Amino acid sequence: MEDLITCVEEQPQPPSSLPNSWTNQHSDSAQRTDEEPKAVGGFVLVHAGAGYHSESKAKEYKHVCKRACQRAVERLRAGALAMEAVAAALVELEDSPFTNAGMGSNLNLSGEIECDASIMDGKSLHYGSVGAIRGIKNPVLVAHRLLSEAQKGKLSAGRIPPCFLVGRGAHDWAVAHGIPPCPAEKMATKFSLSAYKRNKRKMEIAEKMDTPENPMKRRRQSSETENGSECLDTVGAIVVDQEGNVAAAVSSGGLAMKHPGRVGQAAHYGCGCWAQNSCNSNPYSTAVSTSGCGEHLIRTMLARECSVALQAEDAHQALLDAMQNQFISSPFLASEDRVLGGVIVLRCCRCEEDPPSQDLQASLVEFLWSHSTESMCVGYMSAQDSRAKVSRLLHHHHPNNNRQHSNTGVYSFKVDAPSMADVIGPPSPHKFTSATVGSHQRQHMNTGRC
């Protein structure tokens, strides 16, 4: 499984007896004083999409994931809550010309950029979302502002504040609330314009071939279109802060050559992202961000389904089952030949052996991700780390199995954080514990765990 993961590190890793473990040891005899600064906690996990990431742009995808992690961690170190940190990560991802979110997003059939974004606060359970919004550089900021305004309560005359706005109404609301518009010519990049021209030519060729006299050509063109559809680089992030609050966000420019006005999973409640703090009925706090074919993710409400599944004791198995039963083999997608999607998941809970605590210092945090697409680029970092760790996860193919449903990769890291309260100064007090690479196989599923 190690050959499926490529990590980008600016500095060499310290030697370790475990190839997939990173540990920074600290002295148990270190004495704390009242003058010492308070330990800062929190974790962030980001993704640059589940789809197809070309080798030529792999470096750029990894770098933008690393920068997004760093922006979120900067906010956490400054004392911000999870909501602010996850929004900061998304802004960095949207600003990259290589991602399909915000500036540089896919163009629709009319040659225009329409974006979707949403954000959810696990503490208040409030949610903000925009769909098919034009002329806004960072759609996630509009979603974040919608959430913040809703938290203030009712509007004048007892009106309910909106949590989801689309199109022109979303744009006008954003401008009225101080979010500057961005000219259309600045939203598109040379990459997105070039892709639009290529896709337009492909559509013209496909339309010429779409005749009863050319069934073979029609099937071949359909196959080529399906392969191209895996460029599903929606971006997202999930965060847990020092107090144990979780938040999630997602942003997307949608499918290339989509119909104007189409709204994908990034804007739909329970489909693009989900965040929920633990409570009496839910022992675990969970945060989820999805990527892939929006129509598939909407029809299965994958973000919320994963969150519900992760209340089970075995997080790794729970995510495998959710991806298999609620997504890949979902009855709602029975007519689909190829089911494309991916998720990143964060789960945390209080450690029973530790004394009661009001913050993350006595919590166990787990990061997991799963995808049924060709690749998925993820990055992760704690507030104690000096740099982010970034991986381009590749889909593992079985040469003897031609079924698209047969392969999904799942990777899990457990972060043991109870010792954070005893650590001051040096970064990375936590330990990433590596599990044995799994050879567990089941129908429709190959799994790996690192």
Side-chain angles (χ1 to χ4, degrees):
M1 185 59 63
E2 292 179 20
D3 61 330
L4 300 183
I5 300 180
T6 305
C7 291
V8 173
E9 304 283 353
E10 288 193 342
Q11 301 177 20
Q13 289 290 328
S16 172
S17 58
L18 294 176
N20 289 322
S21 296
W22 295 269
T23 307
N24 280 359
Q25 300 292 341
H26 63 278
S27 173
D28 292 334
S29 61
Q31 299 297 317
R32 300 180 65 185
T33 66
D34 294 338
E35 288 75 23
E36 288 176 327
K38 182 181 178 181
V40 177
F43 301 89
V44 57
L45 177 62
V46 307
H47 71 80
Y52 171 74
H53 303 88
S54 66
E55 288 287 351
S56 62
K57 295 180 181 178
K59 184 176 180 180
E60 285 78 6
Y61 280 112
K62 293 173 184 176
H63 283 174
V64 70
C65 283
K66 183 173 71 172
R67 292 196 304 270
C69 288
Q70 291 169 339
R71 294 297 174 269
V73 164
E74 287 172 3
R75 299 298 300 138
L76 291 173
R77 288 172 179 166
L81 297 179
M83 272 285 298
E84 304 298 328
V86 80
L90 260 292
V91 167
E92 189 68 32
L93 291 166
E94 288 177 337
D95 285 347
S96 170
F98 297 99
T99 60
N100 178 31
M103 183 185 68
S105 291
N106 287 332
L107 277 66
N108 63 17
L109 278 173
S110 301
E112 298 171 315
I113 290 178
E114 294 181 329
C115 296
D116 308 324
S118 63
I119 188 169
M120 188 168 181
D121 176 24
K123 182 178 181 180
S124 67
L125 300 182
H126 277 270
Y127 171 86
S129 174
V130 291
I133 188 172
R134 299 182 187 178
I136 297 294
K137 182 182 178 184
N138 296 114
V140 73
L141 294 182
V142 188
H144 182 269
R145 186 62 182 271
L146 278 166
L147 188 154
S148 300
E149 291 297 316
Q151 288 178 326
K152 296 177 181 178
K154 293 183 179 180
L155 305 175
S156 60
R159 293 175 297 143
I160 303 297
C163 68
F164 181 17
L165 293 174
V166 298
R168 183 68 188 183
H171 176 274
D172 292 347
W173 188 95
V175 173
H177 285 79
I179 298 175
C182 180
E185 59 271 17
K186 291 186 178 181
M187 288 291 294
T189 64
K190 64 178 182 180
F191 302 107
S192 60
L193 289 171
S194 177
Y196 173 72
K197 293 176 181 178
R198 289 197 307 271
N199 289 328
K200 193 172 183 180
R201 286 196 296 269
K202 287 181 181 179
M203 286 187 62
E204 292 171 351
I205 294 172
E207 289 171 356
K208 292 179 181 179
M209 289 182 174
D210 191 15
T211 62
E213 293 77 19
N214 295 310
M216 293 299 293
K217 288 184 178 180
R218 214 167 47 245
R219 282 197 294 269
R220 185 167 59 249
Q221 184 65 32
S222 175
S223 175
E224 292 172 357
T225 302
E226 287 177 358
N227 291 335
S229 71
E230 289 198 358
C231 300
L232 307 167
D233 40 1
T234 296
V235 301
I238 48 181
V239 171
V240 57
D241 62 28
Q242 172 72 14
E243 298 178 5
N245 301 309
V246 294
V250 63
S251 182
S252 177
L255 296 173
M257 309 304 287
K258 64 184 180 182
H259 194 282
R262 179 260 191 188
V263 177
Q265 103 283 355
H268 280 77
Y269 186 71
C271 305
C273 67
W274 191 265
Q276 189 169 4
N277 282 11
S278 61
C279 60
N280 293 335
S281 58
N282 294 327
Y284 297 101
S285 296
T286 56
V288 183
S289 181
T290 70
S291 178
C293 177
E295 281 67 21
H296 296 172
L297 297 164
I298 291 170
R299 288 156 64 187
T300 55
M301 294 190 70
L302 186 61
R304 189 172 187 277
E305 289 288 351
C306 286
S307 177
V308 172
L310 265 290
Q311 294 303 320
E313 184 176 352
D314 187 340
H316 180 248
Q317 188 62 47
L319 185 56
L320 289 178
D321 291 342
M323 285 294 290
Q324 178 64 54
N325 301 327
Q326 307 302 324
F327 188 62
I328 295 175
S329 299
S330 170
F332 297 99
L333 301 178
S335 62
E336 300 292 338
D337 293 330
R338 312 178 71 197
V339 179
L340 304 173
V343 296
I344 55 174
V345 181
L346 178 153
R347 187 177 87 162
C348 61
C349 68
R350 304 300 179 194
C351 298
E352 295 180 359
E353 63 272 18
D354 292 300
S357 174
Q358 296 301 313
D359 55 33
L360 188 62
Q361 295 172 358
S363 295
L364 178 70
V365 180
E366 296 175 275
F367 291 158
L368 305 95
W369 48 85
S370 173
H371 63 105
S372 62
T373 55
E374 287 294 324
S375 64
M376 188 171 186
C377 192
V378 300
Y380 51 98
M381 184 178 184
S382 87
Q384 303 295 323
D385 282 336
S386 60
R387 59 187 179 274
K389 298 175 179 67
V390 185
S391 300
R392 177 172 173 260
L393 310 172
L394 302 179
H395 192 60
H396 185 59
H397 292 279
H398 280 265
N400 297 326
N401 193 333
N402 295 322
R403 294 188 64 182
Q404 187 270 331
H405 293 181
S406 62
N407 296 315
T408 292
V410 180
Y411 311 88
S412 169
F413 285 90
K414 287 186 177 180
V415 184
D416 187 7
S419 61
M420 286 179 56
D422 300 323
V423 179
I424 297 295
S428 301
H430 58 274
K431 178 179 180 180
F432 289 90
T433 304
S434 173
T436 304
V437 176
S439 59
H440 173 70
Q441 293 191 13
R442 50 186 299 189
Q443 187 178 8
H444 306 321
M445 184 78 70
N446 283 331
T447 68
R449 189 175 183 182
C450 302

